[in-house]
Amino acid sequence: MAEFTMELNDEQKEVRDWLHGFAADVIRPAAAEWDEREETPWPVIQEAAKVGIYSLDFYAQQYFDPTGLGIPTAMEELFWGDAGIALSIVGTGLAAVGVLANGTEEQIGTWIPQMYGDANDVKVAAFCSSEPDAGSDVASLRTRAVYDEAKDEWVINGTKTWATNGGIANVHVVVAVVDPELGSKGHASFIVPPNTPGLSQGQKFKKHGIRASHTAEVVLEDVRVPGSCLLGGKEKLDERLARARERARKGGERVKNAAMATFEASRPAVGAMAVGTARAAYEVALDYARTREQFGRPIIDNQGVAFQLADMRTQIDAARLLVWRASWMAVNGKPFTAAEGSMSKLFASETAKKVTAQAIQILGGNGYTREYPVERMHRDAAIYTIFEGTSEIQRLVISRTISGMPIR
């Protein structure tokens, strides 16, 4: 087990600096254009693929960093560049992780390469879980998958929403209900291969922020996929459902808490995204305050501005430390006895909203215009308190964890 440290080693610093350079030289110059276009920035994704950032190998290396700091460091730097473009670059990773976590070796080898494509022909993938009536309440999913034993096929019907890369993805990973009586324990994940009949893009959302990231509904109408597209396979699913039914008869609270631990482990990555956006806005505000003069002196000489910057920096550093702690705990198997994963996501996301708003205030009228990037950063920051569990859900998880109450 790696000791917790607040100091990156030489290799981690090298990766951080490499990512920072890509964010500064490639992502930032393109940010305003793709925000206005509200389209997937394919040329930027292709550049990321050419240098090795848009690849499973890169994210696997960061994920298996024994200190736990690989992923949060990468996310902070990319999202420092621009949240919308960064999400387009990392969005495929969510679907890839779903396959890595639940798939067989054959499924991993078959489908993950098709999610990324190559530098000359980049592809993206989509993870489809949320539904119009089931966001935070995952137990309320309605998308159904029914097994056709005669043909060894699964038939999937339903509508997914808020899917990053939904409809434009080469490969979709879809979470569906296979046993409604088991609630969230009756779910399974399926690969929907490219060009499968019955899958279509529904509404594409015109969003407040992260506009360079494609977000849409995915409609599944009698979508048939081979039995081999059930992640983990039918035998493993049947065994898992049998265990879940037995545990439900005995009282299933322990199972629910085990499932919550999975979400806890993924939330620090979102916190790192928020830290990156907050840091970017803070740096713009700091530079502006040093050079903008009013009444014959830089505005940073005014305590009203200087104290805001002091608070902004303090909150960003505190958020990063919470993210790093939770990331280290997740990688090293430390139990989240106080919902530390949710703590990191909650504090970092709220910090991003606050810091980006303060940056606009420091820039005054300039901050409110699109000539400066802080208004875009403020719009982007709003998503962090919503996706991967709203701030209200994080507070619920934390309060129930520290009180010993069950998390449903």
Side-chain angles (χ1 to χ4, degrees), residues 6 11 24 28 34 38 46 61 73 79 82 88 116 130 162-163 167 192 200 204 229 265-266 279 317 351 377 402:
M6 294 183 290
E11 183 178 349
R28 279 207 169 176
W34 292 100
E38 299 191 52
Q46 186 173 35
Q61 290 174 10
T73 300
F79 281 75
D82 177 70
S88 288
Y116 286 93
S130 295
W162 310 123
V192 180
S200 62
K204 177 187 174 182
C229 287
S266 68
R279 191 184 108 212
D317 281 15
T351 292
M377 294 169 181
I402 62 178

Side-chain angles (χ1 to χ4, degrees), residues 20-43:
H20 185 81
F22 183 85
D25 297 339
V26 181
I27 294 178
R28 279 207 169 176
E33 175 188 352
W34 292 100
D35 178 72
E36 290 285 347
R37 292 175 64 167
E38 299 191 52
E39 297 174 359
T40 300
W42 293 107

Side-chain angles (χ1 to χ4, degrees), residues 86-170:
L87 192 56
S88 288
I89 293 173
V90 307
T92 292
L94 187 58
V97 167
V99 175
L100 282 170
N102 301 298
T104 64
E105 289 187 8
E106 181 178 358
Q107 289 170 330
I108 292 170
T110 298
W111 296 113
I112 290 184
Q114 295 187 50
M115 292 180 173
Y116 286 93
D118 57 50
N120 296 316
D121 184 22
V122 294
K123 305 292 185 182
V124 295
F127 183 76
C128 307
S129 178
S130 295
E131 298 183 1
D133 296 319
S136 299
D137 185 10
V138 295
S140 296
L141 293 184
R142 295 182 180 178
T143 296
R144 288 294 308 276
V146 178
Y147 185 55
D148 183 342
E149 189 170 0
K151 296 183 178 180
D152 185 28
E153 292 179 338
W154 289 89
V155 184
I156 308 173
N157 282 279
T159 299
K160 294 296 182 178
T161 194
W162 310 123
T164 299
N165 299 329
I168 66 170
N170 196 48

Side-chain angles (χ1 to χ4, degrees), residues 50-105:
K50 286 179 179 178
V51 299
I53 294 173
Y54 185 71
S55 70
L56 176 64
D57 287 345
F58 171 72
Y59 289 106
Q61 290 174 10
Q62 305 315 307
Y63 180 80
F64 290 111
D65 181 337
T67 69
L69 302 185
I71 288 293
T73 300
M75 293 299 173
E76 179 177 337
E77 294 306 326
L78 292 173
F79 281 75
W80 172 90
D82 177 70
I85 292 178
L87 192 56
S88 288
I89 293 173
V90 307
T92 292
L94 187 58
V97 167
V99 175
L100 282 170
N102 301 298
T104 64
E105 289 187 8

